[in-house]
Amino acid sequence: MDPIRIAVVGVGKIARDQHLPAIAGNPAFSLAATVSPHDPGPKGVPHLASLDELIESGPAVDAVALCTPPQVRYELATMALKRGIHVFLEKPPGATLSEVVALRDRAGKVGVTLFAAWHSRFAAGVAPARAWLSERRIEKVSIVWREDVRVWHPGQAWIWEPGGLGVFDPGINALSILTHIMPRAVFLKSAVLSIPENRAAPIAADLSLCDTGGANIHMDLDWRQTGPQSWDIIVETDAGTLKLSSGGAVLSLPSGTEHNEDLEYPGLYARFANLIRGGRSDVDIDPLRLVADAFLRGRRESVAAFHD
């Protein structure tokens, strides 16, 4: 079977750190091109300034991985789907729920694969955590997702603009895990969004959620963390406490702790290849819907200006 010819659109930190190595390590794919108006891409790979140029005159591709800011992703995905090109959407899958639903519907009509890729769901501890919780009664959940924005998102002005999500850009990773491992549906009750006086998106957020069984869920998001970073989910159950730490890579159960290799992006590309070969799509909007609910229902408070 011939490899899937894929182009990476948007050559920034996440593309270089994760997408390009994952593609290189998966024989189901061959990197046909990269696309960016700014970064020239890796040496030896055809490079174009725009997706229009790739489609019209570049090397033939079967799929694209969209690693651009979410605000421009709808137009790019639509362009690819019209040409019958399979689309991988880096998280968050779009700037609004409506455009992601529109893309999902379009992909279904033209028979092309669309994959909303929640990479944190492929962290090593997530699948066993989901299996363990499926047989437990959830009593309480605590999420602490605190990191230093200057370390992880240096100079990324788009992330502070409408549609860039602010602290929910990393926070949505925690929500993608939460909605995947919880046996019952989760919804928002209230939120407080802390927005720097010189920015349009929050630098911190405090969320109160619950599941349909009544279990209380508290989420603490903050981009002002210095020193050790915190990416932890603690679930108290009738059979003891489960903890996912290091963004889901480390799972602690009453029976012990498991540390496993980080295979998030290799897992994503294995999933994408299987979806393409099977003629299917995977577009879960639950994590983005919770973020939208936070912006819809959250109380906004102004905090000190933020400067990179």
Side-chain angles (χ1 to χ4, degrees):
M1 187 177 294
D2 292 335
I4 299 161
R5 299 166 297 181
I6 189 168
V8 173
V9 181
V11 187
K13 179 175 172 54
I14 194 67
R16 287 190 172 276
D17 289 354
Q18 300 292 350
H19 289 263
L20 295 176
I23 291 168
N26 190 327
F29 292 95
S30 65
L31 182 62
T34 57
V35 176
S36 173
H38 309 296
D39 191 296
K43 292 182 179 179
V45 177
H47 182 81
L48 300 102
S50 69
L51 183 56
D52 302 71
E53 187 180 347
L54 172 67
I55 290 174
E56 295 302 326
S57 59
V61 298
D62 306 303
V64 292
L66 300 185
C67 305
T68 64
Q71 294 97 323
V72 300
R73 216 169 280 161
Y74 174 79
E75 289 76 11
L76 296 172
T78 299
M79 192 185 309
L81 293 174
K82 283 182 178 177
R83 296 300 186 99
I85 297 171
H86 307 293
V87 177
F88 177 120
L89 298 171
E90 177 54 86
K91 66 86 191 171
T96 70
L97 283 168
S98 297
E99 65 187 31
V100 178
V101 171
L103 290 174
R104 182 185 65 190
D105 293 346
R106 181 182 290 273
K109 288 178 181 177
V110 299
V112 174
T113 293
L114 181 67
F115 180 34
W118 302 107
H119 67 82
S120 290
R121 288 183 174 177
F122 288 78
V126 173
R130 183 184 187 187
W132 192 83
L133 290 174
S134 68
E135 300 176 350
R136 307 298 189 273
R137 185 181 73 250
I138 311 298
E139 297 174 350
K140 181 181 178 182
V141 182
S142 175
I143 302 171
V144 178
W145 221 257
R146 289 174 161 250
E147 62 183 48
D148 188 342
V149 64
R150 292 183 173 90
V151 172
W152 299 100
H153 303 277
Q156 295 182 6
W158 62 266
I159 214 164
W160 295 104
E161 296 299 323
L165 301 190
V167 75
F168 285 101
D169 181 81
I172 204 170
N173 294 333
L175 292 173
S176 74
I177 295 174
L178 178 71
T179 54
H180 191 62
I181 65 174
M182 292 290 282
R184 296 184 175 91
V186 172
F187 62 92
L188 180 82
K189 295 195 295 183
S190 64
V192 177
L193 310 181
S194 301
I195 303 175
E197 60 185 20
N198 62 334
R199 302 289 181 170
I203 195 169
D206 189 273
L207 277 61
S208 176
L209 310 101
C210 69
D211 72 359
T212 55
N216 288 321
I217 303 165
H218 178 252
M219 186 174 194
D220 171 14
L221 302 176
D222 205 315
W223 252 350
R224 299 166 295 192
Q225 181 95 325
T226 57
Q229 311 285 278
S230 304
W231 300 291
D232 302 321
I233 299 176
I234 299 172
V235 185
E236 298 178 21
T237 80
D238 59 336
T241 299
L242 173 150
K243 181 177 181 180
L244 282 167
S245 53
S246 299
V250 179
L251 172 64
S252 298
L253 296 171
S255 57
T257 300
E258 299 178 7
H259 301 258
N260 293 295
E261 185 181 0
D262 175 14
L263 296 174
E264 290 184 17
Y265 278 82
L268 286 176
Y269 276 94
R271 174 67 172 161
F272 190 35
N274 287 336
L275 290 170
I276 292 172
R277 302 298 192 203
R280 295 173 292 124
S281 288
D282 181 355
V283 188
D284 180 12
I285 62 174
D286 283 349
L288 185 58
R289 178 159 42 210
L290 288 174
V291 174
D293 287 348
F295 278 95
L296 182 67
R297 194 170 183 182
R299 175 170 58 85
R300 290 157 173 77
E301 63 176 19
S302 181
V303 297
F306 172 82
H307 301 282
D308 275 327

